[in-house]
Amino acid sequence: MYKNRIDNLRKSMKSKGIDGILLIGDHNRNYISGFTGDESYAIIGLEKSVFITDSRYTQQAKEEVEEMEIREYKGKIENFLRDTIEELNIKKIGFEENIITYKNYVTYKENFTCEMIPLEGIVEELRVIKDKNEIECIKKAASIADKAFEKILQFIRPGTSEKEVAVELEYWLKRYGGSALSFPSIVASGERSALPHGQPTDKVIRMNDFVTLDFGCVYQGYCSDMTRTLVMGNASEKMLHVYNTVLKAQEEALKSIKPGLTGTDIDKVARDIITSEGYGKYFGHGLGHGVGREVHENPRISPAGSNVLKPGMVITDEPGIYIPNEFGVRIEDLVLVTEEGYEVLSKSPKNLIII
Ligand SMILES: [Mn+2]
């Protein structure tokens, strides 16, 4: 698996005319190496690759990293990197322009004898298509989220605060096997549900509130992402109309997912439905995004998203309508793009759940 990933990276390196790459970003470095820690370095040459870490991580690297020689550094990292680059005979080394800090760049530039080439997304491009193992991890992360959601349905009641709900949800995400949260959970109720990314507050959930829950966990390095909106007691006619419009947009967009379409095509399916019901201006964000090691990665599914869908991509389908000072609704599934179309990884019910 890691040999494949390194081979693919080397192909991209050759096409860009570079003979080495320095990986520092946790997600990129760990994707290529198998390492699960942080603050380490991978140098990939065209023939040989070296993984560099310090004494905190040497043992772990020996257990986890495949296909690379592991070295422990002491002293200044920039000197150790320079010596390794020279030993591998690298003349042009690519680096992650979106990840490396300006300070590090200046330090490396002063120390390295090779040319430094900024690269945008060379590993991220490879990460867009998930392999079998990655898909299994994402499925597991999604199933943990489904189980935690079931628990929350038993817990959430008018009278509990948004924060209490978030803490309970996060407990179950970890209790069922998540190693971390994909992102800080969103729990937004009543008027606050009109905030697409409302962080949980001490606000108490009241009767007749919509409550939007957007959450996910990490399993073996891979994220899940799901949103459901519940109602406490009764939904007004307007609330029901908005909910059903979002649900229809979500389901129709879902049915349209297949390889060959672009992110813009899928977004349009949902956006047209929401616009035709008069809520177009209340759907401000894109329909979805890729999910993997990061909860937001390519492809983008939005009016600006020109990525073409391919089998093995994992994306979200999450339309929403947010009416300021009233309420909001979002429904989000995690979806695998398959050869034939799509497979939904989020299994929680989407009909309006009344607590
Ligand atoms: Mn999302």
Side-chain angles (χ1 to χ4, degrees):
M1 183 164 82
Y2 294 101
K3 188 179 179 306
N4 258 335
R5 292 181 188 176
I6 293 174
D7 286 346
N8 289 335
L9 181 58
R10 283 181 173 141
K11 272 183 217 154
S12 308
M13 285 160 56
K14 281 180 196 159
S15 75
K16 290 185 160 59
I18 56 171
D19 55 358
I21 184 165
L22 169 65
L23 298 179
I24 296 179
D26 289 340
H27 299 298
N28 288 337
R29 181 198 58 237
N30 293 359
Y31 173 78
I32 294 293
S33 68
F35 187 57
T36 62
D38 51 25
E39 294 186 4
S40 301
Y41 307 79
I43 297 175
I44 318 298
L46 291 179
E47 304 292 330
K48 184 174 168 179
S49 303
V50 179
F51 188 90
I52 299 164
T53 191
D54 61 61
S55 60
R56 290 172 300 168
Y57 282 128
T58 308
Q59 187 54 38
Q60 184 180 336
K62 281 181 184 161
E63 288 164 15
E64 293 177 341
V65 175
E66 295 177 25
E67 310 293 331
M68 291 188 194
E69 189 183 312
I70 293 150
R71 296 183 186 174
E72 182 180 303
Y73 80 91
K74 289 191 176 62
K76 288 187 173 176
I77 182 64
E78 57 270 27
N79 294 343
F80 199 94
L81 292 174
R82 178 198 59 213
D83 294 347
T84 310
I85 290 165
E86 285 179 5
E87 183 195 318
L88 295 182
N89 207 19
I90 294 168
K91 304 291 179 219
K92 282 187 179 183
I93 194 150
F95 67 92
E96 302 151 297
E97 68 169 20
N98 294 330
I99 291 169
I100 193 167
T101 63
Y102 179 71
K103 187 171 191 280
N104 281 342
Y105 173 73
V106 170
T107 308
Y108 297 161
K109 189 105 179 124
E110 279 169 7
N111 279 272
F112 293 2
T113 48
C114 64
E115 201 181 328
M116 288 183 71
I117 313 288
L119 297 175
E120 194 195 347
I122 187 169
V123 179
E124 288 87 338
E125 278 164 24
L126 303 177
R127 284 168 38 198
V128 164
I129 306 292
K130 274 70 183 175
D131 63 30
K132 230 176 115 192
N133 181 268
E134 293 178 290
I135 290 166
E136 284 313 307
C137 292
I138 296 171
K139 280 185 179 175
K140 177 74 182 174
S143 82
I144 291 170
D146 283 329
K147 282 163 71 180
F149 181 67
E150 262 186 64
K151 283 288 184 184
I152 272 306
L153 293 181
Q154 298 160 24
F155 177 84
I156 191 168
R157 291 289 178 274
T160 48
S161 76
E162 293 170 349
K163 268 190 187 165
E164 285 167 343
V165 170
V167 168
E168 182 74 8
L169 180 61
E170 292 170 3
Y171 170 79
W172 287 110
L173 287 170
K174 290 199 173 176
R175 191 73 185 78
Y176 283 131
S179 60
L181 303 173
S182 301
F183 54 91
S185 310
I186 291 165
V187 179
S189 65
E191 285 177 22
R192 299 192 72 260
S193 60
L195 305 172
H197 276 189
Q199 293 299 314
T201 66
D202 291 323
K203 179 191 171 295
V204 170
I205 295 166
R206 297 164 309 212
M207 279 300 283
N208 307 330
D209 273 357
F210 266 145
V211 185
T212 299
L213 304 156
D214 184 352
F215 57 97
C217 67
V218 179
Y219 182 77
Q220 291 188 5
Y222 287 84
C223 296
S224 64
D225 190 4
M226 173 171 92
T227 306
R228 291 293 184 268
T229 301
L230 317 171
V231 69
M232 301 293 125
N234 284 306
S236 67
E237 238 166 77
K238 186 174 180 185
M239 287 164 80
L240 279 177
H241 183 241
V242 167
Y243 190 92
N244 289 330
T245 302
V246 173
L247 182 58
K248 188 173 174 215
Q250 203 275 344
E251 289 183 328
E252 293 305 316
L254 188 60
K255 286 184 219 157
S256 76
I257 294 172
K258 61 178 181 194
L261 295 186
T262 66
T264 312
D265 297 331
I266 309 293
D267 179 282
K268 191 173 182 304
V269 173
R271 201 164 298 278
D272 284 352
I273 291 168
I274 289 176
T275 303
S276 72
E277 294 296 329
Y279 300 116
K281 67 172 174 173
Y282 299 125
F283 176 25
H285 56 75
L287 181 69
H289 51 88
V291 176
R293 290 180 167 260
E294 291 174 269
V295 73
H296 293 135
E297 51 182 57
N298 282 332
R300 305 290 155 174
I301 313 295
S302 77
S306 58
N307 310 79
V308 175
L309 297 184
K310 291 180 185 150
M313 287 181 171
V314 175
I315 60 174
T316 67
D317 169 14
E318 50 175 312
I321 295 174
Y322 314 92
I323 306 175
N325 305 315
E326 289 190 48
F327 58 81
V329 173
R330 179 169 64 257
I331 303 169
E332 174 183 30
D333 280 334
L334 195 56
V335 186
L336 169 67
V337 182
T338 62
E339 297 284 349
E340 301 77 29
Y342 66 95
E343 180 185 342
V344 186
L345 308 185
S346 310
K347 310 287 187 196
S348 297
K350 287 187 284 196
N351 57 312
L352 181 56
I353 295 173
I354 301 164
I355 302 285

